[in-house]
Amino acid sequence: MRASRILLACLVALAFAAPALVLRVSAEVRPGSVGVAVAESVLNHWRETGVPDSEVNGALESAGIRTAVLGMPSIRSYLVDGEAQILESGDPLLMKGSEDFVAAVRSRFGSAVTVKDEVVSVAGVAGALDKPLGYLPARVAELRAAGLDLVLALPSREPDLDWLQREITATKAQSVLLAGSSPPAASLASYLSSRGFSLVVSDFVPGDGLVSSYGQQFGGALVRAHLIELKRSDSLSTLTVRARRAEKERGVRLIVLQTPPDFPGAGPALDQTVALADSIQRELPAGLSAGTPTPQPLVAPSLLVRLATVLAAVALATLAMLALPRSPRLVLGLVGAFGLVGVVAAVANQLFMWQLFTFATAVGGAALAVLTRRYLLGCLVAVTTGLVVAALGAQSTFMNGTTSFLGVKALLLGPPVIVAVLAAIDVGPRKLRSLVWPLRPWHALVGVVLVLGAAYYLLRSGNYGLVPDFELVLRDRLDELMYIRPRFKEALLGFPALFVAAQWKGDARWLWAIVATVGTASAVDSFAHFHTPVLAALLRTGYTIVIGLVLGFVISLVVKAIVKRVRA
């Protein structure tokens, strides 16, 4: 492809994407505040270890912690805490417990409960042990008296919405926390948003299903939270760095400190919690200050802006089609069909179709970047694709993390597969057959290595990827030094391979090109993390391009020297 054609297509794409990008970046750079909250489990831990409530309240106030997260206990949690015991399981369920326990069970199950001689009987209630018992009025009053604002943790899969709405209303709180992927039905979100509630969502809750429905209801009234399970043995500096990363990369504005559910006795000391809160609220990232958590601004582009972004994606699609073996009619038909899907998704405001359109743009652009045969042009195509994808994600439901980019794993695998197919076509069936036939043991070895490499590549991606501890420590240190670290698979693998592929001649360049797609796909994926600010993704990719250029140059010299010596 001619360089002038690539430059023109990228400039056109960026021009059409600019309105959505300006809308998005202006929301992302708006000054905001970050707060720290403690979960009720931490407060209970301090009470159980004998710390006076007056000392706790004074320490929390001095540390600027003015928010508490309140959950709903269940019968099982009372059993774990030793405040109740089961006398006979089955139906009816017979138990004994404290006055608070009896009051909570009566309030939750009503006429299904009878109490005789201190024995509590619950009849006709399936799964009673794990049903939430409500927000305890006495605990609500205590937290209010301590001057703490309340965030109510929503129970999972609660079917009785009338009861749940009464429980929430009775606390007079104005914020609810969504910490799991199975919230109550979406009608609760409509009920709460219509009454002025704000929604706090954990940054690691998957953005799909009911979570996406909640996010769409709370546009402009949603706060992203990072939950830290704090233990006595934890390093405060490490937790501070990871809280900073959540603020910079995931738009988090509330840090919630809680005890680890699997090790309740290992909860944090009061002075440890105060020290961590102080560390988190000092030297915040640019534009942030300590205070009441700031909801994410509402970002709702007009139809005209969405259509302009569709044209940006069409410009990239046209360039991608011209890079393939084609006829003019085929190019026109494919680009026209692609553009029609985008226009329909924009006009109908159809979320799933918009996600598919965004996914196709990302995969095509990541593959196209390695077909330019020039390092800097390939980087330009990858960055342009990322910015167009970021423009397509310029909506609150994407930016607040409650609706994820569709097909992250497929984005990471799609470009290598596309380039491998193009390589097979270019090399030709006869030469390809001579490479793999007759089958030899080393073919099987290469196949196993490729399969294992692809599996590890996918398993280590995402928020829950398999990453060794030493790499986590290295990531923390790089985040401190560089504000936001480059991704290793881009800087140390993909982009150096892109440089070598651009220098290489002959069929072997395709092997480097396939490896290079690991980097270009990952770079586009950085922009497809819609909760990550665009400027942060640009900085990360800038580091990658520079490191890839230097490493690629060194690798190219070494490989050429090795090849020259082997041939000699």
Side-chain angles (χ1 to χ4, degrees):
M1 287 185 292
R2 287 181 299 191
S4 58
R5 183 180 288 175
I6 296 170
L7 285 170
L8 178 61
C10 289
L11 288 175
V12 170
L14 291 174
F16 280 119
L21 288 173
V22 169
L23 188 67
R24 176 173 172 171
V25 172
S26 63
E28 291 172 342
V29 300
R30 191 173 301 177
S33 300
V34 176
V36 178
V38 288
E40 186 192 12
S41 61
V42 175
L43 299 173
N44 291 341
H45 169 72
W46 290 333
R47 179 172 287 181
E48 290 164 5
T49 53
V51 182
D53 288 349
S54 58
E55 183 179 342
V56 169
N57 295 338
L60 294 182
E61 185 173 2
S62 67
I65 301 176
R66 307 314 303 146
T67 304
V69 177
L70 180 64
M72 287 188 174
S74 63
I75 292 176
R76 192 179 300 278
S77 62
Y78 275 101
L79 296 173
V80 171
D81 292 340
E83 294 188 48
Q85 64 181 103
I86 295 179
L87 302 178
E88 184 177 324
S89 58
D91 192 6
L93 177 64
L94 303 181
M95 301 168 290
K96 292 184 73 173
S98 63
E99 291 183 7
D100 288 343
F101 169 73
V102 175
V105 172
R106 271 182 159 164
S107 174
R108 177 65 172 100
F109 300 118
S111 60
V113 178
T114 56
V115 181
K116 185 177 181 181
D117 298 330
E118 298 185 346
V119 175
V120 181
S121 172
V122 180
V125 179
L129 281 177
D130 294 307
K131 284 188 175 294
L133 299 180
Y135 302 108
L136 304 182
R139 193 58 166 146
V140 170
E142 286 178 2
L143 297 175
R144 291 281 190 207
L148 295 171
D149 297 325
L150 293 184
V151 175
L152 307 177
L154 293 177
S156 297
R157 296 190 180 92
E158 174 53 50
D160 191 347
L161 296 187
D162 290 337
W163 169 80
L164 184 54
Q165 288 169 7
R166 290 195 299 271
E167 285 291 316
I168 293 172
T169 303
T171 66
K172 298 183 179 175
Q174 283 297 300
S175 296
V176 293
L177 169 67
L178 189 58
S181 58
S182 303
S187 56
L188 177 66
S190 178
Y191 171 85
L192 294 173
S193 63
S194 66
R195 284 159 178 76
F197 277 75
S198 61
L199 178 68
V200 180
V201 181
S202 168
D203 56 343
F204 282 163
V205 170
D208 53 26
L210 276 175
V211 175
S212 180
S213 300
Y214 271 71
Q216 292 174 55
Q217 293 281 349
F218 284 90
L222 187 144
V223 175
R224 299 204 84 203
H226 182 60
L227 278 54
I228 295 177
E229 294 179 357
L230 185 56
K231 304 186 292 292
R232 286 180 183 271
S233 58
D234 284 332
S235 163
L236 295 189
S237 62
T238 297
L239 293 179
T240 301
V241 170
R242 292 177 184 175
R244 290 273 189 279
R245 183 185 302 145
E247 294 157 3
K248 293 182 293 189
E249 296 185 26
R250 299 194 289 276
V252 163
R253 296 295 177 264
L254 180 64
I255 307 296
V256 179
L257 308 179
Q258 59 185 11
T259 57
D262 297 331
F263 305 97
L270 179 58
D271 58 351
Q272 178 190 15
T273 306
V274 169
L276 177 59
D278 180 64
S279 177
I280 288 173
Q281 295 177 98
R282 272 189 289 109
E283 300 178 8
L284 289 163
L288 297 178
S289 58
T292 303
T294 308
Q296 293 202 345
L298 178 65
V299 177
S302 65
L303 175 59
L304 190 61
V305 171
R306 294 201 302 274
L307 289 174
T309 313
V310 169
L311 290 176
V314 168
L316 283 179
T318 303
L319 185 61
M321 294 302 173
L322 291 174
L324 302 178
R326 79 284 179 190
S327 69
R329 288 185 179 179
L330 180 61
V331 170
L332 187 63
L334 290 175
V335 172
F338 178 72
L340 182 62
V341 170
V343 169
V344 171
V347 172
N349 205 16
Q350 216 290 326
L351 190 61
F352 179 69
M353 190 179 292
W354 190 259
Q355 288 176 292
L356 286 177
F357 182 77
T358 305
F359 169 75
T361 302
V363 171
L368 175 64
V370 304
L371 301 177
T372 61
R373 301 193 183 184
R374 297 172 182 85
Y375 181 73
L376 292 180
L377 281 179
C379 294
L380 174 64
V381 172
V383 171
T384 301
T385 302
L387 288 171
V388 171
V389 168
L392 290 166
Q395 299 180 39
S396 284
T397 186
F398 292 121
M399 293 169 60
N400 60 31
T402 54
T403 301
S404 300
F405 175 82
L406 184 68
V408 171
K409 305 292 187 186
L411 168 59
L412 297 176
L413 269 185
V417 171
I418 291 172
V419 174
V421 170
L422 293 176
I425 294 171
D426 183 68
V427 171
R430 182 174 297 178
K431 189 180 289 187
L432 202 61
R433 180 181 174 85
S434 69
L435 290 173
V436 299
W437 190 265
L439 291 175
R440 293 182 175 86
W442 69 268
H443 290 136
L445 179 62
V446 170
V448 169
V449 170
L450 288 175
V451 170
L452 291 177
Y456 180 65
Y457 172 52
L458 291 178
L459 287 172
R460 62 172 280 121
S461 63
N463 290 330
Y464 304 101
L466 299 178
V467 180
D469 289 341
F470 78 88
E471 186 176 330
L472 292 175
V473 173
L474 180 58
R475 289 180 178 186
D476 292 342
R477 299 290 79 80
L478 289 175
D479 271 327
E480 285 185 286
L481 291 171
M482 306 175 75
Y483 186 80
I484 184 168
R485 67 170 183 86
R487 286 179 165 179
F488 295 142
K489 56 180 172 284
E490 297 171 27
L492 304 182
L493 181 65
F495 276 74
L498 179 62
F499 183 91
V500 178
Q503 304 298 313
W504 210 263
K505 299 291 190 292
D507 295 336
R509 68 181 172 82
W510 284 109
L511 295 176
W512 292 104
I514 293 170
V515 176
T517 56
V518 171
T520 57
S522 178
V524 173
D525 180 55
S526 291
F527 291 91
H529 283 62
F530 297 129
H531 52 256
T532 299
V534 173
L535 297 181
L538 275 173
L539 177 61
R540 163 175 277 162
T541 308
Y543 282 137
T544 295
I545 291 171
V546 173
I547 296 171
L549 177 64
V550 174
L551 279 182
F553 179 74
V554 173
I555 292 170
S556 181
L557 291 178
V558 171
V559 171
K560 285 181 178 179
I562 292 173
V563 170
K564 185 176 180 180
R565 183 162 186 173
V566 169
R567 285 176 178 173

